[in-house]
Amino acid sequence: QVQLVESGGGSVQVGGSLRLSCAASGYTGRTYCMGWFRQTPGKEREGVATIYTTTDNSYYSDSVKGRFTISQDNANNTVYLQMNGLKPEDTAMYYCAATHHGVYGGIRFGRCGSFVYWGQGTQVTVSS
C-alpha cells in the first residue's frame, strides 16, 4: 500500500505563488508516475501535472502549462508542485496521486495510466 500526504496549501492573492508538497510512504517501488489533480464542488477531478518517477519526464494540462512546475526528490519520496501566477480559477482542493504497476480502476490522466492512490487533499484559494 502507498500513503500520500499533501501540504503547502493556503490562501493567496491573484498572481501569487505556492509550493505544494506530497510525501509518499509505504511500498513505493512499483509506483511509476506521480501526479497532481484538483477539484472544485460540482466539477470532475481535473488532472494538473504528472511526472515519471524514473525518468523525470513531466506533463501538464493546458490550463497550467507555463505557470506550474512539477518536480520530485526520489531520495525522500517527495513530489512538489510549484504554482506561480495563480488565478482565481486555480482555486480548488489539490490532490496528490500515484499509479502502481498492476493496479487499475482509478482516474487516467496524461501518459501515466490509472492513478489509484490518493492523498487527503490540500486547499488552495486564490482571491481577486
Side-chain angles (χ1 to χ4, degrees):
Q1 189 66 253
V2 176
Q3 295 80 45
L4 305 172
V5 179
E6 305 99 328
S7 61
S11 298
V12 298
Q13 297 290 318
V14 170
S17 298
L18 284 173
R19 189 175 82 151
L20 307 183
S21 298
C22 173
S25 61
Y27 184 67
T28 61
R30 293 296 183 181
T31 296
Y32 62 93
C33 264
M34 299 295 295
W36 287 97
F37 294 74
R38 63 188 183 186
Q39 188 171 28
T40 57
K43 298 184 65 177
E44 295 183 355
R45 193 162 296 187
E46 172 191 13
V48 175
T50 65
I51 187 166
Y52 270 88
T53 58
T54 57
T55 67
D56 237 23
N57 289 339
S58 58
Y59 178 87
Y60 301 91
S61 67
D62 289 339
S63 62
V64 307
K65 194 174 301 179
R67 298 188 297 122
F68 292 8
T69 302
I70 188 171
S71 61
Q72 63 187 345
D73 180 357
N74 286 336
N76 294 295
N77 292 319
T78 303
V79 178
Y80 304 95
L81 184 68
Q82 178 67 46
M83 305 184 295
N84 299 324
L86 285 164
K87 306 174 181 179
E89 50 263 46
D90 294 319
T91 296
M93 184 73 73
Y94 282 72
Y95 298 90
C96 179
T99 64
H100 197 283
H101 285 297
V103 183
Y104 308 97
I107 298 174
R108 300 189 66 187
F109 175 65
R111 304 166 187 175
C112 292
S114 184
F115 287 89
V116 294
Y117 296 117
W118 298 87
Q120 81 287 352
T122 184
Q123 179 68 39
V124 172
T125 301
V126 184
S127 60
S128 60

